[in-house]
Amino acid sequence: MIREKVKVSTRTLKWKCVESRVDSKRLSYGRFLMSPLMKGQADTIGIAMRRILLGEIEGTCITRAKFEKIPHEYTTIVGIQESIHEILMNLKEIVLRSNLYGTQDASICFQGPGYVTAQDIILPPSVEIIDNTQHIANLTEPINLCIELQIERNRGYRIKTLNNIQDGSYPIDAVFMPVRNANHSIHSYVNGNEKQEILFLEIWTNGSLTPKEALYEASRNLIDLFLPFLHAEEESFNLEFEKNKDEFTLPLFTFRHRLFEQNLKKKKKDIAWKSIFIDQLDLPPRIYNCLKRSNIHTLFELANTSEEDLLKMEHFRVKDVSLIFTMLKIKMHF
């Protein structure tokens, strides 16, 4: 009885964006709701999503800067209003968007006098600056300012240490988190005799991705964390199969041969099977996905696949073969 209630509740779950706004180039806000949830489910989802949003979403930022002939980061240069330390702090505030992996190089080469801003950074093609007006330095004299930059994509944050100083380059506190804040709240109500909940999620981002994109990334990351548990049963079966593989005898004939042993009206059945898709068998999602990944779409293709070939598919089990055979018999009225 409880299993049936959960099943129905999951099928009717809906989410939508109830508010979305861009306060500035570096601040976006979104408010989302999900309902209806059973009592306790909203808190479970809300806590997990907030943790993922704040700690698991990847972002891009400048992680290192290299100046020519600078003894330490608190050095001041004649003709530059800011100290090296202040320039590093300004570089830290630059918001980037990219799909790069690993590290890439960028640079600044500016001839003074004038204001150096984010738009003066020479970037690789895969990186985009969200706010080109971010101030970096003010050159008061006709001098050259050349800075080599290192850009990295990662998650969380990384605090610079003195041990990271190398070759005249200076590390920058790296705040990779594109989600600046995330909150969740719950509204409870009574539907008939059942108490249900609505989950509200509020997300603030730095502009490198929208709150909706952040919600999508967080959901995908959360699903990925639970995938090993979904495969636990298959892995234990594979270990048992390897241990006792000599005891298994896998027939080479197909379902079609087993179903048409009497050879009655075989051609007519073949034609009918070609027009019926496996979607109509109401297979469990895991089995259905295994067949789809192997390009088995119709009952005809399934019936002409041997049991041995099915068991070669990833995550396919011996008892699944018996289930498919039974469902084929029921579907075709054998």
Side-chain angles (χ1 to χ4, degrees):
M1 187 66 179
I2 295 178
R3 288 173 60 90
E4 184 64 26
K5 281 188 177 182
V6 173
K7 187 175 181 182
V8 172
S9 177
T10 303
R11 284 181 177 177
T12 56
L13 274 179
K14 294 182 180 180
W15 77 274
K16 67 176 181 178
C17 178
V18 293
E19 185 179 355
S20 178
R21 66 173 187 265
V22 179
D23 294 330
S24 67
K25 290 184 178 180
R26 289 186 285 175
L27 184 60
S28 298
Y29 171 81
R31 188 165 183 254
F32 308 87
L33 69 81
M34 175 182 284
S35 68
L37 294 164
M38 297 177 64
K39 183 179 180 181
Q41 289 182 338
D43 213 25
T44 301
I45 298 173
I47 293 173
M49 287 297 291
R50 185 175 186 273
R51 287 181 177 272
I52 295 293
L53 284 164
L54 292 176
E56 298 292 330
I57 307 298
E58 291 186 343
T60 305
C61 62
I62 299 171
T63 57
R64 187 174 290 275
K66 182 177 181 180
F67 301 82
E68 294 182 357
K69 301 177 181 179
I70 301 298
H72 56 80
E73 68 174 282
Y74 295 100
T75 300
T76 58
I77 303 175
V78 177
I80 301 180
Q81 183 174 316
E82 293 81 4
S83 67
I84 298 301
H85 176 74
E86 291 172 325
I87 293 176
L88 293 175
M89 292 300 98
N90 290 336
L91 290 172
K92 176 183 174 181
E93 296 299 319
I94 294 175
V95 178
L96 302 174
R97 178 187 178 100
S98 78
N99 56 1
L100 65 84
Y101 290 93
T103 60
Q104 291 197 24
D105 297 326
S107 63
I108 298 174
C109 191
F110 188 86
Q111 172 69 49
Y115 290 97
V116 184
T117 62
Q119 69 178 353
D120 298 307
I121 301 176
I122 302 172
L123 294 167
S126 59
V127 183
E128 172 190 356
I129 296 176
I130 300 302
D131 185 5
N132 286 326
T133 64
Q134 169 62 41
H135 177 75
I136 297 175
N138 178 20
L139 275 60
T140 58
E141 296 183 14
I143 61 172
N144 288 329
L145 175 64
C146 294
I147 310 174
E148 296 179 16
L149 303 174
Q150 178 179 288
I151 296 173
E152 186 177 346
R153 180 182 175 89
N154 211 318
R155 64 183 61 180
Y157 61 90
R158 185 169 64 228
I159 303 300
K160 67 178 181 179
T161 62
L162 294 177
N163 296 331
N164 287 336
I165 299 176
Q166 53 186 334
D167 301 329
S169 64
Y170 298 90
I172 300 174
D173 291 339
V175 183
F176 296 104
M177 300 178 293
V179 177
R180 293 308 188 206
N181 195 12
N183 290 326
H184 82 278
S185 58
I186 301 168
H187 172 71
S188 300
Y189 65 98
V190 177
N191 183 11
N193 296 325
E194 186 178 2
K195 189 174 182 180
Q196 295 183 333
E197 298 176 337
I198 300 175
L199 171 65
F200 290 93
L201 277 171
E202 293 182 288
I203 302 173
W204 290 263
T205 68
N206 65 358
S208 63
L209 77 172
T210 65
K212 185 176 180 180
E213 290 173 332
L215 185 64
Y216 170 79
E217 289 291 332
S219 302
R220 189 175 64 178
N221 290 350
L222 191 58
I223 291 171
D224 290 343
L225 290 176
F226 284 97
L227 282 179
F229 296 105
L230 295 177
H231 298 157
E233 186 177 349
E234 285 86 345
E235 290 175 1
S236 62
F237 167 77
N238 290 335
L239 292 174
E240 186 67 23
F241 180 77
E242 288 295 325
K243 182 179 178 182
N244 304 305
K245 59 182 177 181
D246 294 333
E247 300 178 9
F248 287 90
T249 55
L250 301 177
L252 297 179
F253 46 79
T254 64
F255 292 109
R256 184 167 170 267
H257 288 115
R258 294 177 63 181
L259 292 170
F260 290 119
E261 287 177 352
Q262 298 179 354
N263 261 349
L264 298 176
K265 301 180 181 178
K266 183 185 296 187
K267 292 185 178 179
K268 291 185 178 179
K269 288 291 184 183
D270 281 350
I271 295 173
W273 282 28
K274 289 181 180 179
S275 60
I276 300 177
F277 293 90
I278 61 173
D279 308 60
Q280 300 182 31
L281 287 181
D282 196 23
L283 294 167
R286 178 178 52 78
I287 300 177
Y288 176 81
N289 291 331
C290 286
L291 297 176
K292 282 290 188 179
R293 284 196 296 266
S294 299
N295 294 318
I296 298 175
H297 305 288
T298 65
L299 295 194
F300 181 79
E301 293 169 340
L302 178 58
N304 282 279
T305 304
S306 69
E307 298 176 17
E308 183 182 30
D309 290 335
L310 288 177
L311 290 172
K312 289 179 181 178
M313 298 179 188
E314 187 178 5
H315 309 314
F316 211 89
R317 303 177 298 193
V318 172
K319 64 180 182 181
D320 298 335
V321 175
S322 177
L323 175 63
I324 289 178
F325 182 68
T326 301
M327 298 185 77
L328 284 174
K329 289 175 64 177
I330 295 174
K331 185 68 178 177
M332 302 310 297
H333 307 293
F334 279 96

